[in-house]
DNA sequence: CTGAAAGCGCTTACAG
DNA sequence: CTGAAAGCGCTTACAG
């Protein structure tokens, strides 16, 4: 009857309180079948009275399951990653899984691929965000003793959730073409991979092939590296504007590079949408404020879907393979018809 | 000698391999004193050969420590929070603590204050980010059986790491006053608390008292609610600009509200820094791109410091009490002298 | 449907 | 400095 503020209640306390064995308590509390309804009610009632919560370390040790999902990402602070993480966290919380987060510096990534990770014995499954492991890396991931889901990159050897970057870039291209642009530039990033499935390469491929389909060639001097940063986008835009025959429209492969382009335009006294058309990619939360037209991707949904795919695997489901999330173009006025020459 | 890809090595395997007891393995691997150097070397060598990693659930169950830090925040996706989380994560990784993240919806917050949380028995200590528990809540937190550190709000009953919001807002006020502004408005947020220590109230207090010290009154009609969102900042700015006698300068209590103000100015064809001076608060990563003058706070350092304070407590250190992080004004040109009437 | 008992893989007094 | 043994708090065959 007396409050015992120290030492949380154990399963034995509950068993005693309910007048059953600890085995029965364990079964009753986890909705295990074959427990008489009356018994179950008694146990739940006793557990509630004692504010009993099973010690996760003990149950994990005994059962062998960790009830924890590991999440590895290169940076946590980008808008994209934090949104994905939030989606994963939501689902994990709903499904009563813990989320263990690790930062994926190159070494951590390599260790992960080798199976010797900080996650060892700590997690039931792993979600990789924007780690870019390529198909070769995916094959090594598939050998791991825990299921893995990769987010942001479409893969075959392991389950993945991604967007169709080729189609997304084509969407941007078609929008600019429809407005009448022909001198169209791209601000993107150089990739170390030849793989068309990585982000810069596939957006680049989708964009240039859409131009090509319309009979417009992507001139080599219209391709500038923006490093996927705001500052890089700014510099890239300046270099494009310094050309003898500058473009009338720019596709920035990310909204953040697009912000840099906006900065460059402002520095030159140019008005976006009139003197220069600009379209981004992502739908960053700031894009609405600055009026940036963009190809929107459902970032939080990517995180949620990834978590659901992984939890499905953990529950013995079959592989979901590649999931492609939908893209939509949002016109905010940063694009317009090309200015008269 | 043969590779056993299944079943990770246990402490018994290592003990056998090294020819010692499991107790000695346990001591040797955790740099426990009183282990002969030769023995220790033998054990470390054997553990390495077997790729042994102690099962965290077993060691936690046996030792009673979780080696895990819990982090609770209302939203994970704001730039501010994700940056703080990244700082906490860095330190936790360095110090070999796991990080367990939870979202602090109002109910979770209340449960936390009551000590019945998802973190129960899972963590050795808790970090609260932007939860706004006030001194009364802090006193309840102090009763918890684990140490707690609060970030973003200066408190007495528990350790806290925050900035001096009053001084920061004064910094902004002085900057505008120096430029010659007298008709100065504030875009902030209404607070449900009377407490001068919460963010909107203290920034508001610091700002108006700095104006007052210069003999300038903050007119009631120059105070607008921006809801701490981009959209809210935009609407607030429009309402200020619709006044018969509009201000010549605006202090936005957050950079994101500042972005909204920028949007409103653009919508009205006004040029920031010339037609209207604007200063924000935070130093959001986009602020550099849009040229927003702001009061910068060291967000990642807040996270890192908070983690260090908590780990110090976990290691038996004494309370660190309030930590105030430094603020700096960054002039990016969105402020200028008032326009001639 | 329920219980007694073994076992999960560590850590830590307690002896020596 | 080291080992035998108890114990951390659960889960889960195995019987019944």
């Amino acid at each position: 009857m007396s409050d015992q503020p120290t030492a949380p209640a154990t399963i034995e306390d509950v068993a005693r309180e309910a007048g059953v064995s600890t085995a029965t308590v364990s079964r009753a509390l986890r909705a295990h079948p074959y427990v008489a309804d009356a018994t179950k009610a008694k146990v739940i009632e006793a557990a509630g009275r004692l504010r009993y919560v099973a010690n996760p370390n003990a149950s994990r040790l005994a059962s062998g399951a960790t009830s924890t999902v590991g999440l590895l990402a290169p940076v946590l602070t980008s808008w994209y990653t934090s949104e994905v993480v939030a989606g994963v966290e939501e689902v994990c919380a709903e499904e009563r899984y813990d989320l263990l987060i690790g930062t994926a510096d190159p070494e951590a990534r390599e260790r992960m691929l080798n199976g010797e990770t900080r996650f060892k014995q700590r997690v039931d499954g792993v979600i990789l965000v924007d780690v870019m492991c390529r198909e070769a890396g995916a094959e090594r991931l598939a050998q791991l003793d825990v299921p893995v889901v990769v987010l942001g990159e479409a893969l075959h050897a392991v389950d993945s959730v991604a967007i169709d970057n080729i189609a997304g870039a084509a969407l941007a291209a078609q929008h600019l073409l429809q407005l009448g642009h022909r001198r169209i530039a791209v601000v993107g990033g150089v990739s170390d991979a030849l793989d068309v499935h990585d982000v810069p390469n596939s957006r680049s491929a989708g964009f240039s092939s859409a131009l090509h389909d319309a009979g417009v060639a992507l001139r080599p001097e219209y391709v500038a590296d923006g490093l996927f940063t705001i500052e890089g986008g700014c510099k890239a835009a300046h270099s494009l504007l310094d050309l003898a025959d500058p473009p009338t429209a720019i596709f920035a492969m990310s909204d953040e590079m697009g912000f840099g382009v906006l900065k460059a335009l402002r520095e030159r006294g140019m008005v976006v949408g009139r003197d220069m058309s600009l379209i981004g990619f992502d739908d960053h939360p700031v894009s609405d404020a600055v009026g940036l037209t963009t190809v929107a991707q459902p970032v939080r949904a990517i995180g949620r879907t990834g978590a659901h795919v992984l939890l499905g695997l953990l529950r013995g489901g079959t592989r979901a393979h590649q999931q492609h999330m939908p893209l939509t173009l949002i016109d905010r006025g940063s694009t317009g018809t090309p200015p008269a020459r």
Side-chain angles (χ1 to χ4, degrees), chain A residues 118-150:
Chain A
R118 182 179 160 206
F119 286 159
K120 196 168 185 182
Q121 301 187 56
R122 285 176 148 66
V123 302
D124 292 339
V126 177
I127 293 179
L128 260 37
V129 183
D130 250 10
V131 168
M132 295 301 117
C133 48
R134 322 286 176 204
E135 203 57 46
E139 276 160 21
R140 291 161 69 193
L141 288 175
Q143 312 295 322
L144 258 41
D145 45 355
V146 295
V148 176
V149 173
V150 172

Side-chain angles (χ1 to χ4, degrees), chain A residues 45-69:
Chain A
E45 205 269 323
R49 200 165 343 133
L50 267 36
R51 299 180 171 285
Y52 169 73
V53 176
N55 178 312
N57 293 124
S59 59
R60 288 167 184 183
L61 177 59
S63 71
T66 68
S67 304
T68 301
V69 167

Side-chain angles (χ1 to χ4, degrees), chain A residues 127-198:
Chain A
I127 293 179
L128 260 37
V129 183
D130 250 10
V131 168
M132 295 301 117
C133 48
R134 322 286 176 204
E135 203 57 46
E139 276 160 21
R140 291 161 69 193
L141 288 175
Q143 312 295 322
L144 258 41
D145 45 355
V146 295
V148 176
V149 173
V150 172
L151 270 39
E153 184 185 13
L155 259 18
H156 290 284
V158 298
D159 279 1
S160 61
V161 179
I163 55 171
D164 185 340
N165 284 295
I166 294 180
L171 223 51
Q174 285 147 13
H175 179 70
L176 296 176
L177 287 165
Q178 260 167 19
L179 288 166
H181 293 277
R182 292 299 176 267
R183 304 208 310 283
I184 306 178
V186 174
V187 173
V190 284
S191 167
D192 53 344
L194 299 170
D195 193 342
V196 77
H197 289 295
D198 78 301

Side-chain angles (χ1 to χ4, degrees), chain A residues 251-305:
Chain A
F251 166 48
M253 283 189 194
S254 76
D255 281 0
E256 301 204 65
M257 290 192 289
F259 301 153
V261 174
L262 287 175
K263 184 183 183 189
L265 295 177
R266 208 176 50 246
E267 286 168 354
R268 290 181 176 236
M270 295 174 72
V271 176
V272 72
R274 188 192 70 187
D275 306 326
M276 174 66 73
S277 284
L278 173 65
I279 183 168
F281 201 113
D282 280 344
D283 195 25
H284 187 287
V286 173
S287 299
D288 182 52
V290 298
L292 178 63
T293 296
T294 195
V295 178
Q297 57 169 321
V299 186
R300 184 173 296 232
I302 291 173
R304 290 192 60 99
T305 303

